[in-house]
Amino acid sequence: MRIADGRPILVKSRPDTVFLVLTVILVLLGTVVLFSASSAYSETTGDNPFGTIRSHLIHLVLGAAVMIGVIVFASPALTRTVTPLFAVFGIALLLLVLAIGRADGIAKRWIFLPGNLSIQPSEIAKTALIVVCARISAGSVRDDSYNVIERPGKEHFLKTTFFPGIATVACAGLIAAEHHLSGMVISALIGVFMIFCAGGGMVWLLSLAGLGGIAVFVLTRTGYTSDRIESWLHRGADLMGKDWQTTQGLYAIGSGGLFGKGLGESQLKYGYVSEVTNDFIFTVVCEELGFFGAMAIMLLFAGLVLRGFWLGFRCRDRFASLIILGISFKIGIHALLNVLVVTGLAPNTGISLPFFSSGGSATIIQLFDAGLLLGLSRYCDP
């Protein structure tokens, strides 16, 4: 940062090396674990043992290209300019999936394209929500003298609380219409976090959180997830039915012990643990790498998130700062909730583990998020 006429001026530097290295390490570890899980799962289903990992590698290459491009071109000014496109694109996809999306059971979360390609709009919408909330709260011009968490007066209510709250309710509501409870909860948490970082009034923030809690309670007690909530509250009542996935996952975690059975040596990934390449891939980590290996990966996620927060607080542009904080929170809340679900500490609502779980559009979006954060990190104080 330089000083000209008593006013700080943002100067580009290199992308943050620590965040980049942690991201690459998690992606590489995730790829190795996914290959271990997918090859075994394919043996039980008779599919090509290299099918899942090949698809994942293709999306990784595409995602890496996107990440590099975003790192090179991302800037606070350009991102601020294209924010309306984020908003329109995110809302359009959420409406489109309700109109033409394909259902998986009762959930309607994917848009399928020619060539066996698919898009999960909720993943894109979460990032769009971060950028839109940051743009609303930061305004249309660069603000160099900004302390991220502050409590402005009532005149800032509309831009720090009201309009970001409307955007959050719209995003979470459309995702809830897909029968996607975990996506709704995560988007609502992201919105509340963005309002908090923007300096939203605490009373209104708590009110929004309370309304969200009521909505979640009503949906979980009367909607499509009530069976999963009941199963979680009465664990062990139906071990061969509703509790099967979580129970087998806990068996896998416990069988890994302190040091694990060794990479590739998991036994319960052979048809016992459901969604072993996606929502429950962390069970493979625990069984093969043990408690210490699982803790090491959790510490890597913690380091990635904390580094993102550190960058966010050192960014002199309010808009970029809010985006960096929002993306860091998104990665962290995904990882945390996935671990809580897999370990039985939260109801099983279907949450992927960033950089580990298989997924086409989700993988690309995760790398896009990392690229956007890294691109904006060039404008943070060293």
Side-chain angles (χ1 to χ4, degrees), residues 358-381:
S358 64
S361 59
T363 299
I364 295 175
I365 288 296
Q366 288 160 13
L367 292 175
F368 172 86
D369 290 345
L372 181 57
L373 189 154
L374 286 165
L376 296 178
S377 74
R378 296 180 299 156
Y379 299 85
C380 297
D381 290 341

Side-chain angles (χ1 to χ4, degrees), residues 10-356:
L10 293 176
V11 179
K12 290 192 296 183
S13 61
R14 292 179 300 177
D16 186 68
T17 304
V18 175
F19 191 92
L20 177 61
V21 170
L22 289 173
T23 301
V24 171
I25 291 173
L26 284 169
V27 168
L28 293 176
L29 286 173
T31 302
V32 172
V33 174
L34 179 60
F35 176 65
S36 174
S38 63
S39 59
Y41 181 75
S42 297
E43 286 187 29
T44 64
T45 60
D47 296 329
N48 183 348
F50 300 102
T52 299
I53 194 64
R54 182 173 59 216
S55 174
H56 182 72
L57 289 174
I58 291 173
H59 287 102
L60 271 185
V61 171
L62 294 174
V66 169
M67 183 177 75
I68 293 171
V70 174
I71 291 173
V72 171
F73 293 105
S75 69
L78 178 60
T79 309
R80 184 181 281 109
T81 301
V82 301
T83 295
L85 296 179
F86 274 98
V88 172
F89 190 56
I91 293 295
L93 285 178
L94 289 178
L95 292 173
L96 193 62
V97 73
L98 294 177
I100 66 170
R102 186 179 300 178
D104 182 8
I106 193 172
K108 195 174 187 180
R109 307 174 186 175
W110 292 272
I111 297 174
F112 285 84
L113 304 174
N116 200 29
L117 300 176
S118 63
I119 299 175
Q120 190 170 6
S122 60
E123 295 300 320
I124 300 173
K126 294 170 194 172
T127 299
L129 177 63
I130 292 171
V131 177
V132 169
C133 286
R135 173 64 172 76
I136 294 171
S137 300
S140 59
V141 296
R142 181 165 62 88
D143 182 2
D144 293 314
S145 57
Y146 175 63
N147 182 16
V148 178
I149 297 182
E150 59 182 13
R151 295 292 173 262
K154 293 182 180 179
E155 65 274 12
H156 296 283
F157 166 73
L158 290 179
K159 72 174 186 177
T160 62
T161 307
F162 182 76
F163 289 122
I166 294 297
T168 300
V169 170
C171 181
L174 288 172
I175 293 175
E178 302 175 7
H179 298 295
H180 189 0
L181 178 63
S182 61
M184 182 200 74
V185 170
I186 291 174
S187 61
L189 290 173
I190 288 173
V192 169
F193 178 79
M194 295 299 293
I195 293 172
F196 172 74
C197 289
M202 187 58 67
V203 173
W204 293 104
L205 185 64
L206 293 176
S207 299
L208 181 62
L211 289 174
I214 293 172
V216 170
F217 177 79
V218 172
L219 286 172
T220 55
R221 303 307 294 178
T222 62
Y224 58 95
T225 58
S226 59
D227 287 344
R228 293 186 177 185
I229 302 298
E230 288 296 326
S231 174
W232 178 66
L233 292 174
H234 303 93
R235 180 66 48 75
D238 188 12
L239 292 177
M240 300 302 294
K242 299 173 184 177
D243 293 338
W244 173 265
Q245 184 179 29
T246 302
T247 301
Q248 295 300 316
L250 291 174
Y251 286 156
I253 293 172
S255 65
L258 291 177
F259 301 101
K261 296 179 177 179
L263 192 61
E265 298 301 320
S266 168
Q267 298 300 310
L268 292 176
K269 65 186 178 184
Y270 287 92
Y272 294 95
V273 179
S274 306
E275 298 293 337
V276 73
T277 63
N278 201 318
D279 301 341
F280 272 65
I281 195 170
F282 192 67
T283 62
V284 178
V285 172
C286 294
E287 188 176 3
E288 296 187 349
L289 303 181
F291 173 80
F292 290 115
M295 284 301 299
I297 288 175
M298 293 174 66
L299 287 174
L300 286 172
F301 273 111
L304 186 75
V305 173
L306 291 176
R307 184 65 179 184
F309 285 164
W310 185 86
L311 290 169
F313 284 114
R314 294 183 65 83
C315 188
R316 298 299 297 177
D317 183 273
R318 180 178 187 179
F319 175 64
S321 174
L322 288 170
I323 291 178
I324 291 172
L325 290 171
I327 290 175
S328 302
F329 179 79
K330 177 187 175 184
I331 296 171
I333 199 65
H334 258 279
L336 176 62
L337 291 179
N338 176 270
V339 173
L340 291 178
V341 167
V342 168
T343 55
L345 298 176
N348 183 5
T349 56
I351 300 174
S352 60
L353 184 62
F355 308 124
F356 280 73

